[in-house]
Structure formats: C-alpha cells, structure tokens
Amino acid sequence: MSQIRPLSFRLNGVDTSVTVEPRRTVAEMLRSDLRLSGTTVGCEQGSCGSCTVIVDGEPVRACTLFAVQLEGRELRTIEGLARDGSIQALQEAFVEEDAVQCGFCTSGFLVLAAAALESDPFIEDEAIDALVSANLCRCTGYGPIRRAVRKAAKTTRRAT
Ligand code: FES
Ligand code: FES
C-alpha cells in the first residue's frame, strides 16, 4: 500500500498541492520535488540553519520539519522573498558589507534576518548579534553578516 499523502499549503503566496511521503522533510520536498534549490542543506540535523524557511511568519529549519506538517500553513522560501522584494535591503547590505564568501550559508541568513526584521523592524543591535549567532558560517567570521543585518535594519526602519 502506498504511503504517499496529499498535502496542500501556501508556498510563496501561491496555493500549492503536492503528494509526499510522510517522512519527507520540507527541505527534501523543496529541493527534490519542487526544484526550489535556494534552500540549502548542510548538517541535516537542525544545527547550521542553512535550510531556514519561514512558516506562518516564524523562521524554521526545513530539515527538521516533515512536509506533511505544512498542511494548511504558509511557507515562504528565499525564492519568494527575493521575488517579492522582501529581502532587497538585506541583499544589498550583504553585498556592500562583503557578507557573502562561498555563499553556502547565505540564503539561510537572509531568510532568518528577513523573518526577524518583519517581526520587529526596531530590533536592537544586540538582538541582531544573537540572531546571527544562531546560524553557522565557516567563511566570514560573522562580523560582516552582523554589519549587513544592522544596515538592512536601519534601511527598513527608514522605510517604516
Ligand atoms: S541543514 Fe537544516 S539546520 Fe543544517
Ligand atoms: S559564506 Fe561560506 S559558509 Fe558562510
């Protein structure tokens, strides 16, 4: 008997219906089934944050969530955030502050920061530092990422 289950959710603003195996993670579904490869997968155990997506407004590690848990919920990925302009200030700040080196971690940081800035445009610098320390980056030493998120927060505040 097939284990495949139907699943309906909202993906980057679009009602989406797929079929998935119960043990398929959101990260696997995005990359392998939906061909949305902007969500990168590093540790596959919830540690590195490279796979961060936004579910119902909250940042979530896509490797730790089963796709079937998305039923009726809203999922946003780096592709949707880039398309609707939500991360433009962050993208520009990451380039200006040299916060991208190999780039493997970058989409996770952008999604994590976008969720934080949407939730609190007046987020304090100390909270940004704590936020950034939640994800792993092997290249930048974190300083450029912290500066980039702080700069994007200022830009976002001016626009609020
Ligand atoms: S790949 Fe998901 S947290 Fe590392
Ligand atoms: S830029 Fe290489 S891991 Fe962060």
Side-chain angles (χ1 to χ4, degrees):
M1 195 171 81
S2 172
Q3 294 285 306
I4 301 289
R5 295 195 186 165
L7 167 67
S8 295
F9 61 105
R10 199 156 171 84
L11 173 60
N12 294 328
V14 178
D15 290 334
T16 301
S17 295
V18 295
T19 52
V20 289
E21 292 177 358
R23 294 193 59 79
R24 199 122 176 103
T25 66
V26 173
E28 290 167 339
M29 178 188 71
L30 286 170
R31 291 181 58 84
S32 299
D33 302 337
L34 300 175
R35 303 290 179 201
L36 292 174
S37 58
T39 301
T40 53
V41 175
C43 67
E44 290 188 271
Q45 57 183 16
S47 299
C48 73
S50 69
C51 65
T52 304
V53 295
I54 301 174
V55 177
D56 293 340
E58 296 291 332
V60 171
R61 297 183 175 203
C63 69
T64 64
L65 190 71
F66 291 122
V68 291
Q69 293 176 277
L70 289 175
E71 181 64 43
R73 302 174 77 181
E74 177 168 19
L75 171 66
R76 297 162 72 205
T77 69
I78 187 75
E79 288 87 354
L81 295 170
R83 205 178 307 130
D84 70 16
S86 303
I87 55 169
Q88 186 176 348
L90 282 163
Q91 287 175 306
E92 290 170 358
F94 268 61
V95 171
E96 289 164 7
E97 295 297 331
D98 281 331
V100 181
Q101 291 188 23
C102 82
F104 189 85
C105 68
T106 305
S107 65
F109 276 107
L110 289 172
V111 173
L112 181 72
L117 297 186
E118 282 181 9
S119 148
D120 180 11
F122 297 94
I123 184 170
E124 305 274 351
D125 285 349
E126 294 71 23
I128 288 174
D129 293 350
L131 178 83
V132 164
S133 69
N135 280 16
L136 294 183
C137 174
R138 292 181 182 276
C139 305
T140 64
Y142 291 89
I145 297 175
R146 281 196 290 269
R147 289 196 296 277
V149 178
R150 288 180 181 198
K151 180 182 273 192
K154 285 195 181 78
T155 304
T156 304
R157 278 197 285 272
R158 277 198 295 271
T160 302

